[in-house]
């Protein structure tokens, strides 16, 4: 060991300068971070957006170790160093800055994820988690590759290896990936959410959970139905939760012996009944057609609610009032009837248990042989 170096007064002076500048720089940087954080918090309270709150939270997550590293680099910048140390310091600045930016971005992604679930009603927590993990993975991967490139490492081969490895993994788990991307599509496009009532194929139920691979539906009959996300997106799906109102079309018929004047009144009667019921909007009521055994009427109205039970209550009330009004008008609902017309000749004799119609059987004749007609 060269003890003469330790006895060199200029070295100790440089160490003292570096130490003093480092301590002062650390105190100044820490103070600036605290002042900016408090200022952003104060601005966030009077702002309708969460941008200032996000910025304040991200700034508060500034690493003290990295602040110390910046302070030390500032102190080393004051004194005269060899070219080798100068190059090392240049890399040090980049590494410290890259780490700090990655930390800020990582914090921002986590805050974004928390903001989507702060009320406990996130639309698709699985999709939010997947997107958050992917963004954070990209941030840290870019930070690592940029540091390696700054240090002089050839990252071209590394990136090519990662690409080949990614393709191999994708081919191996392509079925799982199709469901994962289907889950992402559900989360981004939002064709349905947890709590929505959906119908597709012969399945009708409420969405309970949207997972990474499958979606779980609670059917009306009580059982849970598990459907692959990829298969679910291939279906034509009816989402009744987002329906603002229902358009109802129903038909009824009256008998052919109904007088034309009363047939003309029926449309107005139906209109009065529907307009007298809350949460409805009348559209039309028409004498539609001459069918086989009835005069057919078609009625269209709107139920100003998406609840199925509410619609059924309204339709039941309409049906009951129609029965009451038709009874008052002496109008009959039609039902299937068939008439047979016999032309020419004579009607055949009708017998009951072998006895002619015009000769009723006596009590004493019971059990006797039937007489030929």
């Amino acid at each position: 060991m060269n003890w003469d170096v330790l006895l060199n007064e200029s070295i100790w002076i440089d160490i003292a300068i570096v130490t003093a500048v480092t301590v002062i720089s650390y105190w100044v940087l820490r103070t600036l971070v605290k002042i900016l954080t408090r200022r952003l918090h104060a601005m966030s309270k009077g702002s309708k957006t969460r941008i200032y709150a996000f910025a304040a939270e991200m700034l508060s997550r500034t690493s003290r170790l990295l602040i110390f590293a910046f302070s030390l680099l500032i102190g080393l910048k004051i004194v005269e160093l060899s070219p080798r140390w100068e190059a090392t310091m240049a890399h040090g600045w980049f590494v410290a800055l890259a780490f700090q930016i990655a930390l800020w971005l990582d914090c921002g992604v986590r805050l974004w994820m928390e903001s989507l679930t702060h009320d406990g009603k996130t639309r698709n927590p699985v999709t939010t988690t997947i997107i958050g993990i992917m963004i954070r993975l990209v941030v840290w991967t870019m930070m690592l590759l940029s540091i390696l490139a700054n240090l002089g490492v050839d990252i071209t081969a590394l990136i090519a290896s990662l690409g080949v490895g990614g393709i191999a993994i994708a081919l191996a788990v392509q079925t799982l990936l199709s469901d994962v991307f289907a889950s992402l599509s559900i989360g981004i496009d939002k064709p349905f959410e947890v709590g929505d009532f959906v119908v597709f194929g012969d399945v009708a139920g409420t969405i309970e959970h949207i997972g990474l691979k499958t979606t779980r539906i609670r059917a009306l009959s009580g059982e849970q139905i598990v459907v692959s996300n990829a298969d679910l997106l291939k279906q034509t799906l009816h989402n009744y939760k987002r329906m603002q109102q229902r358009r109802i079309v129903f038909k009824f018929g009256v008998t052919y012996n109904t007088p034309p004047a009363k047939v003309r009144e029926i449309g107005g009667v139906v209109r009065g009944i529907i307009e007298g019921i809350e949460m409805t909007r009348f559209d039309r009521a028409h004498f539609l057609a001459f069918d086989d055994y009835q005069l057919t009427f078609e009625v269209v109205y709107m139920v100003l609610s998406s609840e199925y039970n509410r619609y059924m209550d309204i339709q039941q009330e309409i049906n009951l009032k129609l029965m009451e009004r038709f009874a008052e008008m002496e109008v009959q609902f039609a039902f299937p009837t068939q008439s047979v017309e016999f032309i020419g000749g004579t009607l055949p004799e009708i017998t009951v248990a072998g006895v002619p119609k015009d000769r009723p059987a006596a009590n004493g004749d019971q059990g006797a042989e039937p007489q030929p007609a």
Side-chain angles (χ1 to χ4, degrees):
M1 180 177 294
N2 189 357
W3 295 99
D4 293 337
V5 175
L6 297 177
L7 298 176
N8 191 337
E9 183 179 355
S10 62
I11 292 179
W12 290 105
I13 293 174
D14 290 342
I15 292 175
I17 293 173
V18 170
T19 302
V21 172
T22 299
V23 171
I24 295 172
S25 299
Y26 181 81
W27 178 79
V28 171
L29 291 175
R30 285 278 296 165
T31 303
L32 287 175
V33 169
K34 289 181 180 179
I35 293 173
L36 287 175
T37 302
R38 286 198 298 266
R39 179 63 177 169
L40 289 172
H41 273 303
M43 294 173 65
S44 65
K45 294 179 181 179
S47 176
K48 296 181 180 180
T49 62
R50 297 176 58 86
I51 297 176
Y52 294 114
F54 274 27
E57 189 65 25
M58 290 171 60
L59 198 59
S60 66
R61 302 293 178 89
T62 303
S63 173
R64 295 184 180 183
L65 180 61
L66 292 177
I67 291 178
F68 176 77
F70 280 115
S71 302
L72 180 60
L73 291 171
I74 293 173
L76 292 174
K77 196 72 177 177
I78 301 299
V79 298
E80 184 178 354
L81 299 174
S82 63
R84 179 181 177 183
W85 278 100
E86 289 286 348
T88 303
M89 281 183 57
H91 293 308
W93 281 104
F94 185 85
V95 171
L97 184 61
F99 264 107
Q100 187 57 69
I101 293 175
L103 287 173
W104 283 335
L105 293 176
D106 183 86
C107 177
V109 173
R110 285 189 285 108
L111 290 173
W112 170 71
M113 294 170 59
E114 292 174 2
S115 69
L116 296 179
T117 58
H118 72 281
D119 56 354
K121 297 180 180 179
T122 179
R123 295 183 174 181
N124 193 336
V126 175
T127 302
T128 303
T129 302
I130 293 174
I131 295 176
I133 292 174
M134 292 178 64
I135 295 176
R136 293 171 68 184
L137 183 62
V138 170
V139 168
W140 287 103
T141 302
M142 294 298 296
M143 183 273 296
L144 178 61
L145 292 177
S146 62
I147 289 176
L148 292 176
N150 184 264
L151 295 177
V153 178
D154 186 7
I155 62 173
T156 305
L158 179 60
I159 294 175
S161 300
L162 290 175
V164 173
I167 294 174
I169 294 174
L171 291 175
V173 294
Q174 56 182 338
T175 303
L176 176 61
L177 287 177
S178 65
D179 289 324
V180 171
F181 283 110
S183 177
L184 289 175
S185 177
I186 292 172
I188 295 173
D189 192 46
K190 298 180 179 62
F192 53 83
E193 303 168 8
V194 174
D196 287 2
F197 183 84
V198 298
V199 175
F200 62 93
D202 58 350
V203 177
T206 303
I207 302 293
E208 281 193 340
H209 176 73
I210 303 173
L212 186 65
K213 179 174 172 55
T214 61
T215 294
R216 301 168 200 167
I217 302 172
R218 182 64 61 182
L220 291 176
S221 52
E223 77 274 16
Q224 187 182 73
I225 300 174
V226 181
V227 186
S228 167
N229 290 329
D231 293 338
L232 186 59
L233 289 183
K234 296 176 183 178
Q235 306 280 344
T236 300
L237 187 141
H238 303 265
N239 191 336
Y240 286 93
K241 180 67 176 295
R242 298 181 183 176
M243 182 172 57
Q244 302 298 322
Q245 58 186 12
R246 290 177 179 267
R247 183 178 184 269
I248 309 301
V249 180
F250 74 96
K251 297 179 182 180
F252 64 89
V254 297
T255 57
Y256 268 92
N257 59 4
T258 305
K262 291 186 177 181
V263 172
R264 188 179 297 276
E265 294 176 7
I266 289 177
V269 169
V270 174
R271 177 171 190 153
I273 291 174
I274 294 176
E275 290 181 345
I277 299 176
E278 295 182 355
M279 300 294 294
T280 62
R281 186 175 70 249
F282 177 79
D283 187 4
R284 61 181 177 84
H286 292 98
F287 172 28
L288 178 64
F290 296 92
D291 285 330
D292 293 339
Y293 57 88
Q294 68 176 17
L295 306 176
T296 302
F297 283 81
E298 184 179 69
V299 181
V300 180
Y301 70 96
M302 310 300 292
V303 176
L304 306 181
S305 173
S306 62
E307 296 182 13
Y308 186 79
N309 289 342
R310 178 65 175 169
Y311 149 63
M312 290 301 297
D313 291 340
I314 291 174
Q315 186 62 52
Q316 176 180 260
E317 185 66 18
I318 293 173
N319 294 339
L320 293 173
K321 287 185 178 295
L322 278 175
M323 294 179 65
E324 294 173 356
R325 292 300 307 275
F326 281 12
E328 295 173 358
M329 297 171 61
E330 297 182 352
V331 173
Q332 294 182 347
F333 287 101
F335 55 89
T337 58
Q338 186 176 13
S339 300
V340 178
E341 183 178 359
F342 185 79
I343 302 175
T346 59
L347 292 174
E349 185 178 3
I350 300 174
T351 61
V352 179
V355 179
K357 182 179 180 182
D358 56 353
R359 181 189 169 196
N363 292 336
D365 293 336
Q366 293 181 0
E369 291 186 3
Q371 298 297 323

